[in-house]
Amino acid sequence: MKNVIAIVGSQWGDEGKGKIIDYLAGRADMVVRAQGGSNAGHTVVIEGTKYALHLVPSGVLNAGTDNIIGNGVVFDPESFFAEIEMLDAGGVDTSRIYVSDRAHIVFPYHKRLDLLSEQARGAASLGTTLRGIGPCYMDKVERSGLRVCDMMEGETFREKLARQIDAKNDVIVKLYGGEPLDKDGIIDTYATYAEKLAPYVRDTSVMVYDTIAAGKTVLFEGAQGSMLDLDFGTYPFVTSSHPISGGFTTGAGVGAGVVGEIIGITKAYTTRVGAGPMVTELTDETGDSIREKGHEYGTTTGRPRRCGWFDGVAVRHSARVNGTTGLALMLLDVLDDFDEISLCYAYERNGETIEHFPAGQKALEESRPLYKTVKGWRTNLTACRTWEELPKEAKDYIAHIEELTGVPVKIISVGPGREQTIMRGDIL
Ligand code: GDP
Ligand code: IMO
Ligand code: MG
């Protein structure tokens, strides 16, 4: 039985993955983060109380759900314990959170190197979240990273970490002309983290496997979005992991065949935070009104998000590389006040129509959106709870999105609250 649902971001992140994970976690046994790190900012709103989660899976607000931070995640203990404190203070049960012994650890030198390399790029900076994500994955791929299992090794860990800090201080000082980091301070801090972390550490691949084998329901919680994927996103303006469905099984340690349903979390329009091409970006009043109505400011960094119309070329590309079986169409209510709404069905470059998302930066920068424009519904959708209650124009808009992407819309979200969710069609 395929009892695994992958929740994947279809666009450039912040599509509302946290909300849908929390919503579906009510009937799931386990939620698994498999990639990314504390660059993610997932918002869950329950009865008006807002929780911003970075590393802890968004299933944590449902009692009885196991929450796994898998081997593919880059794990920042500072961010993790700050989150645990925040949840404990709010009376949330944090006893069912488990961290993979194979996850790589983010250290202060990763964050410093993230900043220094961004500064060195100057005008060509990527606009990263400065959470040390790229430098930590670099160490993993280069095979010099330290993992959670290393952290559990006492004196040996101190020695390994000391060597790493020496090597990184060399780069910080000699390559970037920066200040060296305090070696003893970092070692002591991480030795304390190691003690605190020990009770959370597991071979999570075994836990996920056993849960799936027992016929229970598992959700993979994607972070970032497909258009930030290292291979299929707008390289080099991407993150350093694979936020597409293929990344989830390697990042959780289970076979590729287990996933039964792949839900693409998709905003009813487009946003992006950080640098890089965005063909449907609106730098005018329309873009500003989407930003204000949608409160489009980053959950992790507070930066204003760039806003634009729905990009059917990007979401079609995302549906293909993910094998998306259904879309969750989010923030539909943000478009409530428009007389007309546009959807991009293709790009145009040098007189040529482009149907498939181009690889190159120049090709994307020179692409112009081709729009079809439809009538808005001009109705407040936030109280709608069923498909039947949606106005005809909203249903038509959804039909256009299904046609452009080739994927059925199975969930519709009309507000940040758990209850503001319309299920249309079965999931698993
Ligand atoms: P994530 O990173 O994909 O989990 O998304 P974020 O939490 O970064 O950003 C999504 C934002 O939209 C959050 O502030 C959510 O509370 C909010 N949100 C989610 N769904 C809806 C919706 O349907 N309507 C509105 N108005 N807000 C929503
Ligand atoms: P969630 O999970 C939106 C963006 C950054 C930057 C690029 C690389 O909340 O959807 P990084 O720090 O990963 O090296 O930055 O990726 N980015 C996100 N944008 N949502 C996210 O996560 C993001 N995580 C990274 O803004 O452009
Ligand atoms: Mg986010």
Side-chain angles (χ1 to χ4, degrees):
M1 183 184 156
K2 292 193 169 185
N3 43 342
V4 178
I5 309 174
I7 298 299
V8 59
S10 290
Q11 294 152 319
W12 279 274
D14 304 327
E15 300 92 346
K17 299 175 291 293
K19 168 178 165 163
I20 293 300
I21 286 284
D22 169 69
Y23 178 78
L24 294 175
R27 54 195 180 92
D29 300 284
M30 181 179 268
V31 178
V32 185
R33 275 283 305 272
Q35 44 72 229
S38 59
N39 49 348
H42 295 180
T43 316
V44 178
V45 181
I46 299 167
E47 287 165 12
T49 305
K50 195 168 172 173
Y51 300 86
L53 299 163
H54 302 283
L55 265 177
V56 172
S58 305
V60 72
L61 298 154
N62 286 269
T65 309
D66 285 339
N67 291 279
I68 305 282
I69 297 178
N71 54 280
V73 171
V74 284
F75 180 78
D76 179 349
E78 184 187 0
S79 171
F80 178 72
F81 288 118
E83 232 165 286
I84 295 284
E85 248 177 57
M86 179 271 289
L87 291 167
D88 283 342
V92 178
D93 177 12
T94 55
S95 67
R96 299 178 75 158
I97 298 170
Y98 305 98
V99 180
S100 169
D101 49 5
R102 290 179 169 84
H104 278 251
I105 306 163
V106 176
F107 292 98
Y109 50 78
H110 291 127
K111 294 182 206 172
R112 179 67 66 83
L113 288 167
D114 202 351
L115 175 67
L116 291 169
S117 59
E118 276 286 84
Q119 285 172 344
R121 286 186 193 106
S125 72
L126 308 178
T128 76
T129 60
L130 304 178
R131 295 299 188 271
I133 306 299
C136 186
Y137 278 119
M138 279 165 74
D139 281 359
K140 173 177 179 174
V141 175
E142 200 250 353
R143 295 156 297 181
S144 62
L146 295 177
R147 299 187 292 168
V148 168
C149 53
D150 298 314
M151 213 168 160
M152 300 297 118
E153 283 174 357
E155 195 48 40
T156 321
F157 171 63
R158 285 175 165 264
E159 287 162 19
K160 284 181 182 167
L161 180 54
R163 280 199 296 277
Q164 277 301 307
I165 299 171
D166 285 340
K168 299 301 179 188
N169 271 343
D170 240 21
V171 176
I172 290 168
V173 174
K174 290 183 186 154
L175 186 65
Y176 292 108
E179 286 294 310
L181 297 172
D182 166 18
K183 181 159 85 175
D184 294 337
I186 296 174
I187 294 174
D188 288 344
T189 304
Y190 274 71
T192 311
Y193 287 151
E195 267 176 42
K196 279 170 72 180
L197 189 60
Y200 297 91
V201 179
R202 295 285 189 287
D203 183 338
T204 53
S205 160
V206 173
M207 290 181 76
V208 180
Y209 178 88
D210 287 347
T211 306
I212 296 172
K216 295 180 178 173
T217 302
V218 173
L219 305 177
F220 285 146
E221 177 174 0
Q224 291 77 56
S226 307
M227 305 312 292
L228 291 167
D229 181 84
L230 197 47
D231 279 308
F232 289 102
T234 45
Y235 192 88
F237 300 95
V238 293
T239 193
S240 297
S241 70
H242 291 293
I244 58 174
S245 60
F248 298 170
T249 49
T250 54
V254 288
V258 299
V259 180
E261 183 103 56
I262 299 166
I263 299 295
I265 312 298
T266 310
K267 272 182 177 159
Y269 47 93
T270 308
T271 66
R272 171 164 207 172
V273 59
M278 176 177 166
V279 176
T280 64
E281 181 170 15
L282 296 166
T283 49
D284 57 6
E285 274 175 19
T286 308
D288 293 344
S289 61
I290 294 176
R291 183 176 311 105
E292 293 318 310
K293 179 93 198 251
H295 306 292
E296 293 293 0
Y297 295 87
T299 309
T300 299
T301 57
R303 290 177 291 179
R305 295 175 182 148
R306 299 155 65 192
C307 298
W309 293 125
F310 183 82
D311 184 342
V313 182
V315 178
R316 202 154 60 224
H317 170 82
S318 165
R320 191 184 74 256
V321 300
N322 281 290
T324 309
T325 57
L327 297 180
L329 194 65
M330 310 300 293
L331 297 111
L332 192 60
D333 54 297
V334 174
L335 301 181
D336 280 355
D337 303 328
F338 287 97
D339 288 327
E340 289 185 325
I341 303 171
S342 296
L343 304 100
C344 168
Y345 62 90
Y347 299 159
E348 185 269 334
R349 184 189 180 209
N350 300 331
E352 209 183 302
T353 302
I354 299 170
E355 307 271 349
H356 297 294
F357 198 81
Q361 195 181 329
K362 190 160 187 281
L364 282 164
E365 280 164 2
E366 291 175 1
S367 290
R368 298 287 159 259
L370 296 176
Y371 287 123
K372 67 168 88 171
T373 296
V374 300
K375 204 163 164 259
W377 43 90
R378 280 203 152 279
T379 310
N380 181 345
L381 298 186
T382 57
C384 290
R385 297 291 176 269
T386 62
W387 173 255
E388 288 69 33
E389 286 170 71
L390 291 174
K392 179 184 177 302
E393 291 83 358
K395 288 179 180 161
D396 287 348
Y397 185 67
I398 293 167
H400 279 298
I401 286 178
E402 291 180 321
E403 192 195 321
L404 285 181
T405 59
V407 184
V409 171
K410 294 190 175 180
I411 302 175
I412 297 144
S413 176
V414 292
R418 248 184 204 171
E419 68 293 349
Q420 292 171 301
T421 313
I422 299 171
M423 290 298 286
R424 181 181 173 229
D426 288 336
I427 291 185
L428 277 182

